[in-house]
Amino acid sequence: MIWSNAITSSPAKGDRFLFHVLRSFAGIAGILVVGILTFLVSESLPAFQQIGITAFVTDPSWHPTEGTYNLLPMFIGTMYATIGAVTLATPLGILTALFCQYYAPQAIASGYRAFIELLAGIPSVVYGLWGLVVLVPLIADLRPPGPSLFAGILILTIMIFPTVTLVSLSALQQVPKEYIQGATALGCTRWSMIRQIILPNTWPGILTGVTLQTGRAIGETMAILMVCGNVVQYPSSLFDPIRTLTANIALEMAYATDTHRASLFLTGLFLLTIVIVVIMSTQQARSNQAYG
Amino acid sequence: MRTPRKTPTPYIASAYSTRNIALCCDPDPLIQTRDLSLSYGNHQAIKNISLTIHRGCLTAIVGPSGSGKTSFLQCLNRLTDLLPDCTVSGRATIENLDILSPTIDVLQLRRRIGMIFQKPNPFPMSIQKNLEFPLKEHGVTATHLIQERIQRALMDVGLWNEVKDRMDTSALRLSGGQQQRLCIARALVLSPDVLLMDEPCSALDPLSSGTVEDLIFSLRGQYTIIIVTHNLAQAHRIADYVGVFWSQAQAGELIEFAPTHAIFEHPQQDLTAAYINGIRG
Amino acid sequence: MDKHSLFTYDMLSTTIIWTVAGLLGCLFFWLLGDLMRQGIPHLSWEFISEPPANAGRSGGITSILVSTGLILLICMVVALPIGLGTAIFLSEYTAETHPLATFTGRSLDVLASVPSIVFGLFGNAFFCQLLGLGFSILSGGLTLACMVLPILVRTTEQGFRALPLEYRTSAAALGLSKRATLIHLLLPAAIPALVVGFILGLGRAIAETAALIFTSGYVSRMPTSLFDSGRTLSIHIYDLSMNVPGGDQAAYATALVLILCVLTLNSLAQWMAKHWTYTRRMNI
Ligand SMILES: Nc1ncnc2c1ncn2[C@@H]1O[C@H](COP(=O)(O)OP(=O)(O)OP(=O)(O)O)[C@@H](O)[C@H]1O
Ligand SMILES: [Mg+2]
């Protein structure tokens, strides 16, 4: 911000030294993403060369030890789980945020909020544990086998719901007080005020939160791995077990070699690309909104 | 050269309104600027300022808001370096040193030319640390020397008795006037030749403002002082020379520079006269 | 719409919102209640002070706590200087529009959203294989260091940016060097932000599992050096619940310990962010 001129004219040796040290630290931090990308690309190169990119969608199945590498079922699994969780968590999160902001009495609202903040901090492996021990047996009673896409969607929903709520809540809190006063003065009911005035003004903030959580859901590994059953297949119903891309990496990385290993890195590269695209599109949407 | 006036009675700033000495310091050029101009990006803030500041004198700079007074001061201690898009041209010298030269030791220059800001800005540290830290950075490390200088500076600004028992408390707990005097002490402790003061009294209440004004006046003679002020009465009371800045076509220019009595009694420029009378009336 | 149906909608929405909030509250109480009910009986001093026995079903988690501590230590020892240096560089030494600043800023934004399993892949390829560190506490700690860097940098950077500009100008006017201003003036004033960033980073690191499975590994023995593989609390939970029949009790108890750590860190960070900056503002 400042000092940038003075750097060139400063005679103090120590200053220049410190500047160079700090700049190289910033360089390391900046180059890290490039480094990660480079490693993913170079490690997955054998997969490109020896298997070819089309094989990942055209091969008959995922049996890397036998040379078949179809990732499509797992991609579909990831997508189903993510879409399911985001579709469930978004309305729930928004409703809960509305509850805290406009419906609950002060004391309940702040207690509820603190509770949600607590939940947002719980590690995913703990949600996975609970899902595995409590939720999966319940689902098994309903429709065996238990570990399933459904369990995955529920656990992911439970995981991302607190953050969706918190983001929506902070978007709600940024609505100018005058809007609310104006609406109240006109004698609107609470719901029509929310429908007509609050939600139209907050959806960009909420949308940003939802997209970020979509990224998180795509990348989530542990909880999904623990409750989804990890069978590589196209699910024919909600209650079929599935395997996601992330779970696949976690399960097979330990023993994978050669092209198998390379194809896991390729999966990682693919995941990273999706998440970056999702994040970038949010930022793009936000800056369009700011200027447009 | 000249003896400083007797120590003023505190809190009665109006004691000087009856001052009758025309000029109390001998002309002895210390700082000279020639065609000094400054731009922020494409916007020229000051244009062709040429003036001479005399050693030991108190020079007041007055003028309407935005006429470039602060910018002018910041050229003299190269604080303009901190602003990335700020360019300075022309010449400015202190004794024979070229202030604007890219090769001079800026830190040393700024030690020689202290600056006091409008808003008191002590560091968030103890009173002791506020004074000790700049000293140490300028190579004074012997404890007794540091202590001696700190005490003298605090005495000079009349703060010693007020703070000597709480040197280790935060400087931010002092009152506004005390903070401003501490900032002056912080500049004095480095034994500068010149003090640049940018509206040093305008953020203070009338009483503290009076105290600080008295302090500034008492420093006259020992230090060369350039003070920016919006208070013409204050300029009249304490200054030897007055420079009037005026923005003409956006850029600030020096429209008149003369000894105080000349400015106030026989202004040469209509603008100056109008400005002075406008404030009076 | 007539007045009557407006009121019907309002009633309906109020009912729905209260029901949803109530049900979700119950769901999460059920979850937390389960954790406590199953975990607390298993918690004891021995659980903390003894090494795991019988694949973790009995015994305690001492060696796991030690490994976790060591991994966090490595993570922070590496991330802290880089994070602090980057934050200072971004806030004090470059214009926000400078190419290096925008590049680093963008990279950090992307880094913040990289899935943790991808960090795991990178750590495995770079630290374990290329640098030859193998499955070790060192590899795990370094991988986590990459992961917590964005949060550390962003929090600290904001702390520096929040400092009044006058600090810099008045220090410069006294002829102080940038280095002195930084070390004696800005850094002490920005310490609270640094501490908050540090704690948030720790919280994120301690909760991490996926990035560690194939970098630090899951050997549950007491580590004797940083080159040993070490199992963290979160991996212990995963392993107990997935691979050890009858390990649920111990998994729940470990989960309680983990949650306790995370919550303590989070509330500490929140308290500091609120309290510390507040008192500072008051002083100025
Ligand atoms: N950092 C800056 N960047 C861009 N323009 C600036 C900057 N500082 C001052 N200016 C502009 O330069 C001109 C002169 O400003 P300056 O602060 O020197 O005036 P001033 O006489 O000190 O005013 P005041 O009496 O209000 O303090 C103004 O038009 C101002 O807008
Ligand atoms: Mg000014």
Side-chain angles (χ1 to χ4, degrees):
Chain A
M1 157 173 58
I2 59 171
W3 289 349
S4 40
N5 262 17
I7 287 156
T8 46
S9 63
S10 164
K13 267 228 180 79
D15 275 4
R16 293 198 70 82
F17 176 71
L18 186 66
F19 173 69
H20 288 301
V21 170
L22 293 176
R23 194 176 57 178
S24 31
F25 277 152
I28 294 177
I31 213 93
L32 198 53
V33 164
V34 181
I36 291 178
L37 269 174
T38 314
F39 266 90
L40 290 182
V41 170
S42 76
E43 293 281 328
S44 50
L45 222 48
F48 282 115
Q49 289 162 345
Q50 291 164 30
I51 310 169
I53 197 75
T54 47
F56 287 102
V57 287
T58 54
D59 271 3
S61 63
W62 171 262
H63 284 111
T65 40
E66 290 152 28
T68 54
Y69 295 94
N70 191 354
L71 285 171
L72 211 50
M74 293 183 277
F75 174 67
I76 298 292
T78 296
M79 282 300 130
Y80 279 163
T82 304
I83 293 170
V86 172
T87 341
L88 267 182
T90 309
L92 290 181
I94 296 175
L95 288 179
T96 319
L98 288 175
F99 171 75
C100 283
Q101 186 71 6
Y102 299 111
Y103 285 81
Q106 189 62 47
I108 297 185
S110 58
Y112 204 89
R113 194 200 163 121
F115 185 58
I116 301 276
E117 276 169 359
L118 181 155
L119 296 171
I122 291 183
S124 61
V125 70
V126 174
Y127 282 120
L129 169 67
W130 183 78
L132 181 66
V133 177
V134 178
L135 208 56
V136 167
L138 282 181
I139 295 174
D141 286 346
L142 192 70
R143 276 278 293 277
S148 57
L149 171 61
F150 187 52
I153 290 179
L154 286 188
I155 280 298
L156 265 186
T157 307
I158 290 177
M159 271 185 58
I160 64 176
F161 151 79
T163 326
V164 174
T165 308
L166 292 177
V167 175
S168 311
L169 200 51
S170 69
L172 288 181
Q173 280 164 348
Q174 275 157 19
V175 176
K177 280 229 165 54
E178 298 78 53
Y179 290 11
I180 298 165
Q181 281 163 355
T184 322
L186 287 173
C188 289
T189 63
R190 185 157 48 179
W191 178 245
S192 30
M193 174 183 83
I194 289 171
R195 265 286 312 277
Q196 317 282 342
I197 296 165
I198 313 258
L199 288 185
N201 277 293
T202 41
W203 74 261
I206 294 176
L207 200 67
T208 312
V210 170
T211 345
L212 287 176
Q213 290 315 299
T214 311
R216 181 160 159 226
I218 295 173
E220 173 53 37
T221 312
M222 298 321 290
I224 284 281
L225 172 64
M226 291 162 87
V227 301
C228 281
N230 301 319
V231 178
V232 186
Q233 63 176 358
Y234 294 103
S236 54
S237 87
L238 264 183
F239 297 92
D240 280 351
I242 55 148
R243 182 188 287 196
T244 63
L245 291 171
T246 49
N248 187 45
I249 300 177
L251 287 168
E252 302 193 348
M253 197 47 204
Y255 61 88
T257 49
D258 304 331
T259 44
H260 181 192
R261 184 180 147 90
S263 61
L264 293 182
F265 272 90
L266 184 77
T267 321
L269 183 62
F270 178 63
L271 281 169
L272 181 60
T273 320
I274 303 181
V275 172
I276 290 179
V277 168
V278 168
I279 301 294
M280 290 293 178
S281 64
T282 334
Q283 283 180 349
Q284 197 57 45
R286 228 185 323 179
S287 57
N288 281 352
Q289 231 238 317
Y291 299 117
Chain B
M1 254 182 281
R2 99 212 58 76
T3 48
R5 309 185 126 231
K6 68 173 185 17
T7 315
T9 331
Y11 303 121
I12 312 176
S14 58
Y16 305 103
S17 52
T18 54
R19 153 174 165 246
N20 50 13
I21 302 172
L23 191 62
C24 77
C25 66
D26 311 317
D28 175 12
L30 177 67
I31 298 181
Q32 291 190 301
T33 68
R34 289 289 165 264
D35 295 331
L36 192 67
S37 303
L38 176 151
S39 320
Y40 297 103
N42 313 328
H43 168 65
Q44 187 163 35
I46 59 174
K47 191 174 151 198
N48 298 345
I49 307 281
S50 302
L51 52 66
T52 303
I53 305 286
H54 295 286
R55 192 189 298 274
C57 291
L58 205 159
T59 306
I61 308 265
V62 299
S65 225
S67 54
K69 306 179 296 292
T70 302
S71 308
F72 174 69
L73 286 195
Q74 289 184 340
C75 292
L76 298 183
N77 69 349
R78 292 271 298 267
L79 223 50
T80 46
D81 285 9
L82 303 195
L83 304 167
D85 59 347
C86 174
T87 48
V88 182
S89 62
R91 270 182 69 74
T93 53
I94 173 166
E95 280 173 338
N96 292 323
L97 187 68
D98 180 5
I99 292 178
L100 302 179
S101 152
T103 53
I104 63 157
D105 183 347
V106 181
L107 302 186
Q108 204 51 37
L109 175 81
R110 292 186 187 141
R111 189 205 59 73
R112 263 188 91 180
I113 306 184
M115 186 159 188
I116 314 297
F117 298 83
Q118 176 173 8
K119 216 175 118 221
N121 51 9
F123 297 137
M125 319 170 171
S126 68
I127 299 172
Q128 169 79 22
K129 274 269 170 59
N130 258 281
L131 299 162
E132 181 184 287
F133 155 53
L135 261 182
K136 281 189 173 162
E137 285 306 315
H138 282 287
V140 183
T141 44
T143 320
H144 68 278
L145 221 61
I146 292 180
Q147 228 35 55
E148 192 187 303
R149 280 205 184 191
I150 289 180
Q151 184 173 346
R152 201 171 52 211
L154 285 176
M155 283 175 148
D156 282 351
V157 301
L159 207 55
W160 177 248
N161 284 325
E162 289 164 56
V163 302
K164 65 169 185 254
D165 300 323
R166 46 173 179 149
M167 293 293 283
D168 290 324
T169 57
S170 167
L172 302 174
R173 298 243 186 88
L174 295 173
S175 74
Q178 288 174 323
Q179 288 191 7
Q180 193 63 305
R181 282 186 285 152
L182 179 68
C183 291
I184 298 180
R186 193 175 60 186
L188 294 186
V189 93
L190 299 176
S191 1
D193 298 332
V194 181
L195 287 177
L196 308 176
M197 302 193 167
D198 193 358
E199 305 181 37
C201 301
S202 57
L204 308 178
D205 69 277
L207 222 56
S208 317
S209 167
T211 320
V212 172
E213 183 184 316
D214 292 347
L215 162 63
I216 294 169
F217 192 73
S218 74
L219 297 174
R220 198 176 66 135
Q222 300 169 51
Y223 303 95
T224 307
I225 299 176
I226 308 179
I227 178 171
V228 169
T229 176
H230 281 293
N231 183 341
L232 284 177
Q234 183 179 58
H236 197 181
R237 285 195 293 271
I238 63 175
D240 300 305
Y241 291 93
V242 174
V244 183
F245 275 51
W246 202 270
S247 19
Q248 315 215 334
Q250 299 303 318
E253 288 185 52
L254 180 71
I255 54 168
E256 191 159 1
F257 185 79
T260 308
H261 69 96
I263 291 276
F264 281 95
E265 282 146 35
H266 318 284
Q268 301 294 309
Q269 301 279 331
D270 296 344
L271 277 174
T272 314
Y275 184 58
I276 288 167
N277 293 325
I279 297 283
R280 273 195 190 140
Chain C
M1 240 185 281
D2 64 276
K3 197 108 193 158
H4 183 71
S5 66
L6 275 181
F7 275 108
T8 319
Y9 274 117
D10 194 46
M11 282 302 294
L12 193 67
S13 64
T14 309
T15 321
I16 291 176
I17 285 179
W18 274 90
T19 318
V20 165
L23 285 178
L24 284 171
C26 291
L27 174 73
F28 282 103
F29 266 115
W30 174 27
L31 194 157
L32 291 180
D34 255 341
L35 283 176
M36 307 244 224
R37 198 165 46 78
Q38 307 231 33
I40 289 178
H42 205 83
L43 275 182
S44 61
W45 174 242
E46 284 71 36
F47 188 68
I48 304 292
S49 66
E50 277 176 16
N54 192 10
R57 286 182 198 90
S58 51
I61 52 170
T62 326
S63 56
I64 286 142
L65 284 174
V66 171
S67 302
T68 311
L70 286 175
I71 289 178
L72 292 182
L73 187 75
I74 302 283
C75 162
M76 280 306 167
V77 164
V78 176
L80 208 56
I82 299 183
L84 179 63
T86 309
I88 294 180
F89 182 80
L90 289 181
S91 62
E92 305 296 326
Y93 280 86
T94 45
E96 260 166 289
T97 50
H98 187 275
L100 182 57
T102 39
F103 169 70
T104 309
R106 278 277 162 79
S107 305
L108 288 171
D109 286 346
V110 173
L111 205 60
S113 52
V114 172
S116 53
I117 190 96
V118 174
F119 278 109
L121 286 174
F122 167 72
N124 182 276
F126 185 59
F127 299 120
C128 300
Q129 303 222 327
L130 190 78
L131 299 188
L133 299 174
F135 280 16
S136 65
I137 287 176
L138 213 51
S139 302
L142 290 171
T143 308
L144 288 191
C146 302
M147 211 179 81
V148 301
L149 205 55
I151 194 163
L152 202 56
V153 174
R154 287 309 192 191
T155 323
T156 316
E157 187 192 342
Q158 272 163 21
F160 274 96
R161 288 195 193 282
L163 296 179
L165 201 61
E166 287 94 77
Y167 286 3
R168 287 114 175 162
T169 22
S170 52
L174 286 167
L176 302 178
S177 63
K178 292 180 287 290
R179 186 177 40 87
T181 313
L182 256 176
I183 296 174
H184 296 285
L185 184 60
L186 301 182
L187 194 55
I191 284 282
L194 179 64
V195 173
V196 170
F198 177 84
I199 297 175
L200 287 176
L202 265 189
R204 169 122 201 244
I206 201 176
E208 186 47 47
T209 318
L212 290 174
I213 312 177
F214 33 83
T215 53
S216 76
Y218 27 83
V219 173
S220 60
R221 250 179 292 116
M222 181 67 90
T224 51
S225 86
L226 294 181
F227 295 97
D228 280 359
S229 165
R231 178 191 283 199
T232 63
L233 287 171
S234 50
I235 296 187
H236 193 52
I237 298 171
Y238 166 67
D239 192 63
L240 281 177
S241 58
M242 289 289 280
N243 306 332
V244 181
D248 290 353
Q249 295 280 310
Y252 268 114
T254 317
L256 275 188
V257 175
L258 179 61
I259 291 182
L260 210 65
C261 295
V262 175
L263 287 189
T264 315
L265 289 173
N266 282 356
S267 24
L268 207 63
Q270 258 183 19
W271 182 82
M272 276 185 185
K274 240 182 227 154
H275 194 77
W276 219 340
T277 47
Y278 180 64
T279 49
R280 274 187 177 262
R281 293 241 175 75
M282 291 301 283
N283 272 340
I284 297 166

